[in-house]
Amino acid sequence: MGISTLGTSEYSSVVSMNLFVALLCACIVIGHLLEENRWMNESITALVIGLCTGIVILLVSGGTHSHLLVFSEDLFFIYLLPPIIFNAGFQVKKKQFFRNFITIMLFGAVGTVISFTIISIGAIKIFKKMNIANLELGDYLAIGAIFSATDSVCTLQVLNQDQTPLLYSLVFGEGVVNDATSIVIFNAVQNFDLSQITTAVAFQLIGNFFYLFITSTLLGAGAGLLSAYIIKKLYFGRHSTDREVAIMILMAYLSYMLAELFYLSGILTVFFCGIVMSHYTWHNVTEKSRVTTKHAFATLSFIAELFIFLYVGMDALDIEKWSFVKDSPGTSVEVSAILLGFVLVGRAAFVFPLSFLSNLTKKAQHEKIDFRQQVLIWWAGLMRGAVSMALAYNQFTSKGHTTKPGNAIMITSTITVVLFSTMVFGLITQPLVRLLLPAPKTLNRMISSEPTSPKSFIVPLLNGQDSEVDLSQNVPRPSSLRMLLATPSHTVHYYWRKFDNAFMRPVFGGRGFVPFNPGSPSEQSVHQSEHHLVDEETN
């Protein structure tokens, strides 16, 4: 079907998509040119470009609208969020993540509940006195959930997984659990009768959260194990590497959609699916498929993140929303400032106390969270982003359009907080990281990284960077580390390794499994290196 046969609305959609794709290309090019800039990162670049584009569209359209596409929650939750979360799980350093799992859960789950409580109570106390129209109890609680959802993309872009493994795993893990917890709380607020809150209802909410967390995690792990088993048994790679890549992508997406179908947490499901796939499935595919999947997942995640920030920048100037608050712009600014204050206080209320509790359980000094790291963890969670925007649209708009003044104030305030926190806090993030955590003089910490995770594949990758294996071979290894690895430590990780080697890998594959042409010299050298590294890491 040619362009000439398209109707007017279809043609305008094609024009809009062309412009949007061109803007995404511009974001990538400009982001590359600003790569060495100590202040900017891709998220802020996309936001600025979105704002500039919104101004141009606003002028061209005569002040009617500022965006090329109408915001859709389905677009965000069904198409844009899954690749971002899956890639996060696929690239995570599993040893660091699970070693700090209790602390991550404290920050991500308990901390989010504390932040939600403080923001909700503050909103009820202050906004009721301001007499913001049309807001009910459910709206105030929704505000607590909306502004409890962190966006740590900016911080993760400047933190180094190898130089600061503890900090990175805490910020990263908390971000994922936090998003899932915020969405679970938001859905609970919408689905429960808030007019009659009793102790039984409170326990029901808590039980519902644990049910969602456990079932979502099991579903994600199950989907990952199923993909590993299928690829291990059927040897797709002997005929087509495309089938291996396709089955991994589709199984990951299927896990997310199944979670949504059964009203579970798709974020947790696809995150743990990514972790399991990186541990088993990824090692069962051919060498070409490993490189392809690693970069395919990272590319999809990268484009989705740019898409979100670019759209948020354009939608920030949507005249429809601002027209409701033009008579009282001071109220909108005041609400935004109050909400930003709630975010600052709510975050501090759990980061420092929970860090203190976490440190009490740690014996080794290097495992404890020092004050500088606590400040960075607090700072990393101050930014609000796409999840907050999506939840605000869900609560206060109908199909992307606002019809009530009170709702319009909350939407514009959310946009203001997202823009301010991402751009102002985001700009300061990298200098703050350099100030509080100066680059170490040695790279000894890199030795402890997982050498066979997807992010550290043992052949040079498409981006031309050296692999971690080569790097770690050139770094002198201290004798104390060798002694530490030679002495088994009877921890949960130790027992899991024994169970994994004895039962899981023989069934589902993983490191050491030769999926394709085992007699080839390249495959033999690959797996000899893998076995050597596994022995060094775990024995």
Side-chain angles (χ1 to χ4, degrees):
M1 181 174 68
I3 293 292
S4 58
T5 61
L6 291 174
T8 305
S9 61
E10 288 89 350
Y11 181 74
S12 62
S13 298
V14 171
V15 172
S16 297
M17 284 305 300
N18 271 283
L19 290 172
F20 207 91
V21 172
L23 288 172
L24 286 172
C25 294
C27 288
I28 294 172
V29 172
I30 295 172
H32 172 72
L33 296 176
L34 295 174
E35 182 71 29
E36 301 302 322
N37 189 291
R38 62 180 296 181
W39 299 95
M40 298 293 285
N41 58 53
E42 247 114 16
S43 303
I44 298 173
T45 302
L47 267 178
V48 172
I49 292 175
L51 281 169
C52 295
T53 307
I55 293 171
V56 172
I57 297 172
L58 204 60
L59 295 173
V60 172
S61 65
T64 57
H65 65 92
S66 66
H67 45 69
L68 298 169
L69 306 170
V70 176
F71 183 86
S72 167
E73 295 150 36
D74 291 341
L75 172 68
F76 175 76
F77 283 109
I78 296 179
Y79 301 111
L80 297 178
L81 195 59
I84 295 173
I85 302 300
F86 175 80
N87 185 62
F90 195 71
Q91 304 284 12
V92 70
K93 298 205 172 197
K94 296 179 290 296
K95 181 187 284 188
Q96 278 292 336
F97 179 81
F98 286 106
R99 182 178 290 162
N100 301 302
F101 188 72
I102 301 300
T103 307
I104 287 170
M105 288 304 300
L106 271 176
F107 285 154
V110 178
T112 303
V113 172
I114 294 172
S115 179
F116 160 76
T117 305
I118 290 174
I119 295 172
S120 297
I121 293 174
I124 292 171
K125 296 289 185 184
I126 295 179
F127 291 161
K128 277 190 175 181
K129 292 181 181 179
M130 293 176 64
N131 196 25
I132 298 176
N134 305 319
L135 293 185
E136 300 174 354
L137 177 61
D139 294 321
Y140 292 120
L141 295 178
I143 289 169
I146 289 166
F147 289 97
S148 297
T150 65
D151 183 76
S152 51
V153 171
C154 291
T155 306
L156 292 177
Q157 285 178 351
V158 297
L159 283 179
N160 189 303
Q161 246 191 124
D162 301 309
Q163 293 178 0
T164 55
L166 172 63
L167 186 63
Y168 189 96
S169 66
L170 290 177
V171 172
F172 168 78
E174 185 223 337
V176 175
V177 179
N178 167 276
D179 285 344
T181 306
S182 299
I183 293 173
V184 168
I185 293 173
F186 183 83
N187 291 333
V189 167
Q190 288 190 322
N191 296 331
F192 280 84
D193 182 9
L194 301 172
S195 61
Q196 299 177 344
I197 297 181
T198 62
T199 306
V201 172
F203 279 110
Q204 189 177 354
L205 285 169
I206 295 170
N208 186 49
F209 170 77
F210 282 108
Y211 165 76
L212 286 175
F213 186 90
I214 294 170
T215 51
S216 300
T217 301
L218 291 176
L219 177 59
L225 291 174
L226 181 60
S227 69
Y229 186 79
I230 290 173
I231 290 177
K232 179 175 180 289
K233 289 297 182 183
L234 298 184
Y235 293 96
F236 287 110
R238 64 185 170 185
H239 296 305
S240 170
T241 57
D242 296 340
R243 291 172 185 166
E244 289 183 321
V245 177
I247 199 71
M248 285 184 72
I249 293 174
L250 292 175
M251 286 291 287
Y253 191 64
L254 178 63
S255 72
Y256 182 87
M257 295 310 297
L258 282 174
E260 294 299 312
L261 179 66
F262 294 114
Y263 301 102
L264 303 176
S265 173
I267 289 181
L268 283 173
T269 296
V270 79
F271 175 70
F272 281 100
C273 181
I275 289 179
V276 172
M277 277 194 177
S278 72
H279 190 66
Y280 296 108
T281 314
W282 189 78
H283 296 280
N284 293 346
V285 300
T286 59
E287 185 175 317
K288 290 180 180 178
S289 295
R290 294 183 195 181
V291 177
T292 304
T293 52
K294 189 265 180 188
H295 288 281
F297 295 144
T299 302
L300 288 172
S301 172
F302 175 71
I303 293 174
E305 284 180 6
L306 279 185
F307 189 104
I308 291 168
F309 281 106
L310 184 63
Y311 183 84
V312 168
M314 281 190 286
D315 197 59
L317 298 173
D318 185 18
I319 203 70
E320 179 192 62
K321 301 173 184 63
W322 292 102
S323 62
F324 282 98
V325 298
K326 64 182 179 181
D327 296 329
S328 55
T331 302
S332 182
V333 173
E334 191 177 354
V335 170
S336 302
I338 291 169
L339 288 171
L340 203 57
F342 287 158
V343 169
L344 291 165
V345 174
R347 180 118 186 118
F350 75 83
V351 167
F352 298 105
L354 293 183
S355 296
F356 175 76
L357 290 177
S358 175
N359 287 342
L360 292 178
T361 65
K362 308 288 185 182
K363 294 182 179 179
Q365 187 62 37
H366 70 276
E367 292 181 348
K368 295 185 177 182
I369 311 168
D370 62 37
F371 183 73
R372 290 185 175 187
Q373 290 175 324
Q374 291 176 32
V375 171
L376 279 177
I377 292 170
W378 170 72
W379 185 267
L382 293 179
M383 282 160 273
R384 297 296 175 262
V387 174
S388 294
M389 287 285 293
L391 295 180
Y393 273 93
N394 186 296
Q395 181 70 22
F396 298 112
T397 68
S398 175
K399 297 182 179 179
H401 298 286
T402 311
T403 57
K404 298 178 181 178
N407 290 358
I409 288 176
M410 295 316 305
I411 289 290
T412 54
S413 299
T414 303
I415 291 171
T416 304
V417 170
V418 168
L419 288 177
F420 183 88
S421 63
T422 302
M423 295 182 69
V424 177
F425 295 161
L427 284 171
I428 302 172
T429 296
Q430 191 160 343
L432 187 66
V433 171
R434 290 179 177 178
L435 175 66
L436 295 179
L437 295 177
K441 295 179 181 178
T442 61
L443 296 178
N444 288 339
R445 285 188 178 184
M446 297 185 72
I447 301 169
S448 65
S449 61
E450 289 187 66
T452 52
S453 66
K455 204 164 187 176
S456 54
F457 188 44
I458 63 177
V459 296
L461 296 173
L462 302 180
N463 57 8
Q465 296 175 349
D466 294 331
S467 63
E468 286 182 25
V469 174
D470 295 333
L471 186 58
S472 65
Q473 288 172 350
N474 295 330
V475 176
R477 296 172 182 267
S479 59
S480 58
L481 180 66
R482 190 180 299 277
M483 291 171 62
L484 177 65
L485 291 174
T487 306
S489 176
H490 293 271
T491 61
V492 174
H493 181 261
Y494 169 76
Y495 288 114
W496 160 250
R497 281 295 189 188
K498 293 189 68 174
F499 175 76
D500 193 27
N501 291 330
F503 299 102
M504 299 297 286
R505 286 182 183 171
V507 177
F508 299 105
R511 280 182 295 212
F513 174 68
V514 183
F516 183 58
N517 195 9
S520 68
S522 62
E523 288 289 339
Q524 286 180 350
S525 64
V526 165
H527 292 294
Q528 285 172 0
S529 300
E530 287 186 352
H531 280 304
H532 173 70
L533 289 165
V534 171
D535 290 341
E536 271 196 288
E537 180 189 5
T538 61
N539 293 337

